[in-house]
């Protein structure tokens, strides 16, 4: 008889734990703000689809991600036990019950001063993504009580993880032309826009903010080809010292600004995520993490040290100087850090997520656990 009374509470507890896992281990949704590093198809619902071989590893077809497979945001969704997050711009077949992804390829934190067709920058900058989020919340509050089946309940906004992976295009879009010092002058504005966005999202009910810093762009094949530098600017790992140093300065400013914002929003959990540290380790020591190639692109054209041709992007063919040039993929993307010279592979994304969810990569400490 006593055994029965003991078993029942245990079964109830186990059921609650399982339910928690299915609900996302404490987070019921992800709302993401970003650029191509976390775009799960938004840009391609507004503009032409990314061509093959994008998506070749996991999805076996292009799905709007600038990679061979899953991105960091996809692995985060898997870790908290929710489906991949639907792009906000996806008009057919979307499922927003577990959040929305406002990121688009080529997005910036600051509003671009010219059109996409002039600058190459997305019109969906962070202020626009924030407005989309506000509109999304209004529609949830309005439509969910009427039985909309692909929307989350209105209380989801306080139970969600708000992720940011944006700022790289603010840093790099004008870098070759203007130089590091000019670009650094507007970085405080970039950081101010990010912290201001966090405060507005807090006003909408958001409480947990997961903010990734900038990657070591001085190690990316595309920038090693396109940005001016000399032999003395290259470190022992083949990365450009001045550009990586500038990124570190930005990341330090971002860390300080988030610390200040954390003091202002005492009931919020604002997490600084050092993905830079994880990626730098991969580029410098790929073989230590089961990879083989650091500063060379898997999908590209030209071969050589970097396999990147700025005239022909991954999956494209162009007629140049009397010949057809194709940027094709390697046979083993699982051995590369860089997918196309600008974005990382699925294998690298998975390792980065393993790192940032372990100790020493977030401030304050943050982990996702469902045990």
């Amino acid at each position: 008889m006593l055994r029965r009374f003991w078993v029942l509470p245990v079964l109830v507890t186990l059921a609650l734990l399982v339910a928690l896992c299915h609900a996302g281990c404490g987070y019921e949704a992800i709302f993401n703000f970003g650029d191509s590093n976390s775009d799960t198809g938004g840009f391609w619902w507004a503009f032409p689809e990314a061509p093959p071989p994008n998506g070749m590893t996991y999805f076996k077809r292009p799905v709007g991600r600038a990679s061979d497979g899953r991105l960091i945001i996809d692995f985060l969704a898997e870790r908290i036990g929710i489906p991949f997050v639907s792009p906000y711009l996806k008009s057919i077949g979307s499922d927003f019950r577990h959040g929305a992804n406002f990121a688009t390829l080529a997005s910036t934190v600051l509003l671009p001063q010219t059109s996409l067709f002039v600058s190459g920058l997305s019109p969906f900058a962070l202020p626009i993504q924030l407005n989309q989020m506000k509109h999304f919340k209004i529609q949830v509050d309005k439509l969910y009580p009427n039985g909309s089946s692909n929307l989350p309940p209105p209380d989801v906004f306080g139970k969600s993880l708000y992720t940011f992976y944006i700022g790289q295009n603010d840093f790099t879009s004008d870098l070759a032309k203007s130089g590091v010092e000019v670009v650094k002058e507007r970085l405080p504005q970039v950081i101010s826009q990010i912290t201001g966005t966090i405060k507005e999202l807090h006003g909408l009910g958001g409480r947990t903010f997961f903010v990734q810093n900038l990657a070591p762009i001085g190690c990316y094949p595309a920038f090693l080809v396109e940005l001016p530098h000399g032999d003395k600017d290259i470190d022992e790992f083949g990365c450009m010292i001045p550009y990586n140093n500038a990124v570190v300065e930005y990341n330090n400013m971002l860390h300080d600004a988030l610390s200040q914002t954390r003091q202002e929003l005492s009931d919020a959990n604002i997490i600084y995520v050092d993905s830079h540290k994880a990626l730098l380790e991969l580029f410098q020591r790929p073989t230590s993490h089961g990879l083989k190639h650091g500063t060379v692109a898997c999908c590209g054209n030209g071969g050589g040290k970097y396999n990147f041709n700025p005239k022909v992007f991954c999956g494209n063919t162009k007629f140049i100087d009397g010949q057809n040039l194709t940027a094709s993929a390697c046979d083993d993307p699982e051995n590369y850090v860089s997918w196309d010279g600008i974005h990382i592979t699925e294998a690298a994304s998975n390792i980065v997520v393993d790192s940032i969810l372990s100790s020493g990569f977030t401030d304050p400490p943050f982990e996702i656990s469902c045990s």
Side-chain angles (χ1 to χ4, degrees):
M1 192 69 174
L2 288 173
R3 186 173 296 174
R4 289 183 184 178
F5 283 111
W6 176 82
V7 169
L8 182 58
V10 170
L11 292 176
V12 171
T13 301
L14 288 173
L16 288 173
L17 284 173
V18 171
L20 180 61
C21 287
H22 289 165
C25 303
Y27 299 103
E28 296 184 3
I30 291 176
F31 293 101
N32 181 67
F33 304 85
D35 51 32
S36 56
N37 291 305
S38 59
D39 181 0
T40 54
F43 187 88
W44 308 113
W45 276 90
F47 301 99
E49 176 68 90
N54 289 288
M56 62 180 280
T57 299
Y58 181 81
F59 302 99
K60 309 303 181 185
R61 59 185 176 85
V63 288
R65 289 161 172 79
S67 181
D68 63 305
R70 291 163 290 183
L71 310 179
I72 288 173
I73 185 177
D74 295 316
F75 286 108
L76 284 174
E78 288 183 352
R79 302 299 169 86
I80 68 173
I82 64 172
F84 296 149
V85 185
S86 284
Y88 176 77
L89 295 175
K90 184 178 180 180
S91 56
I92 300 172
S94 57
D95 184 352
F96 298 121
R97 289 176 295 175
H98 295 282
N101 188 357
F102 302 97
T104 66
L105 180 147
S107 284
T108 49
V109 173
L110 303 178
L111 287 167
Q113 300 302 306
T114 55
S115 76
L116 167 71
F117 305 103
V118 175
S119 66
L121 297 175
S122 169
F124 302 104
L126 184 57
I128 306 302
Q129 295 181 24
L130 174 61
N131 285 338
Q132 291 172 328
M133 175 68 198
K134 292 177 179 178
H135 182 70
F136 180 86
K137 185 178 187 302
I138 290 171
Q139 295 304 307
V140 167
D141 292 340
K142 176 182 176 181
L143 298 176
Y144 183 83
N146 297 327
S148 292
S149 61
N150 70 332
L151 295 177
D155 66 353
V156 74
F157 300 103
K159 304 175 181 179
S160 300
L161 186 65
Y162 293 79
T163 55
F164 291 76
Y165 197 8
I166 191 168
Q168 183 170 307
N169 294 314
D170 296 87
F171 196 96
T172 62
S173 62
D174 199 37
L175 191 54
K177 177 182 177 182
S178 300
V180 170
E181 295 306 316
V182 172
V183 169
K184 283 165 61 174
E185 291 176 2
R186 60 173 175 263
L187 295 182
Q189 295 175 268
V190 172
I191 293 172
S192 178
Q193 184 68 56
I194 292 173
T195 57
T197 300
I198 290 173
K199 292 174 184 177
E200 292 211 44
L201 291 171
H202 179 268
L204 298 178
R207 289 299 180 268
T208 305
F209 304 93
F210 190 84
V211 186
Q212 292 181 246
N213 61 10
L214 287 191
I217 63 151
C219 300
Y220 279 47
F223 301 123
L224 281 160
V225 170
E226 295 184 297
L227 294 178
H229 63 277
D231 292 340
K232 294 182 179 179
D233 296 324
I234 301 296
D235 66 17
E236 60 182 302
F237 304 103
C239 300
M240 295 181 290
I241 299 170
Y243 300 106
N244 276 352
N245 286 346
V247 168
V248 170
E249 287 185 43
Y250 168 87
N251 287 342
N252 289 337
M253 287 191 292
L254 177 65
H255 178 271
D256 293 344
L258 293 178
S259 297
Q260 178 61 40
T261 306
R262 195 179 302 121
Q263 293 178 16
E264 296 173 22
L265 305 177
S266 58
D267 62 341
N269 189 14
I270 302 173
I271 303 132
Y272 172 82
V273 183
D274 198 356
S275 48
H276 175 278
K277 178 181 176 182
L279 279 167
L280 186 63
E281 171 67 18
L282 281 183
F283 278 113
Q284 291 179 341
R285 301 174 183 86
T287 56
S288 298
H289 302 274
L291 307 179
K292 295 180 180 179
H293 310 287
T295 57
V296 58
C298 165
C299 186
N301 173 268
K305 291 174 63 176
Y306 308 121
N307 191 36
F308 180 82
N309 183 344
K311 296 179 180 179
V312 190
F313 290 112
C314 178
N316 290 300
T317 298
K318 287 190 176 181
F319 189 75
I320 299 174
D321 297 331
Q323 59 181 329
N324 282 318
L325 299 180
T326 299
S328 55
C330 62
D331 295 327
D332 56 341
E334 69 275 7
N335 288 320
Y336 286 73
V337 178
S338 178
W339 166 239
D340 59 3
I342 304 171
H343 309 97
I344 62 175
T345 60
E346 174 180 283
S349 290
N350 191 22
I351 295 170
V352 168
V353 172
D354 283 342
S355 296
I356 62 180
L357 294 182
S358 64
S359 61
F361 287 83
T362 60
D363 182 25
F366 176 83
E367 65 178 26
I368 294 171
S369 177
C370 194
S371 58

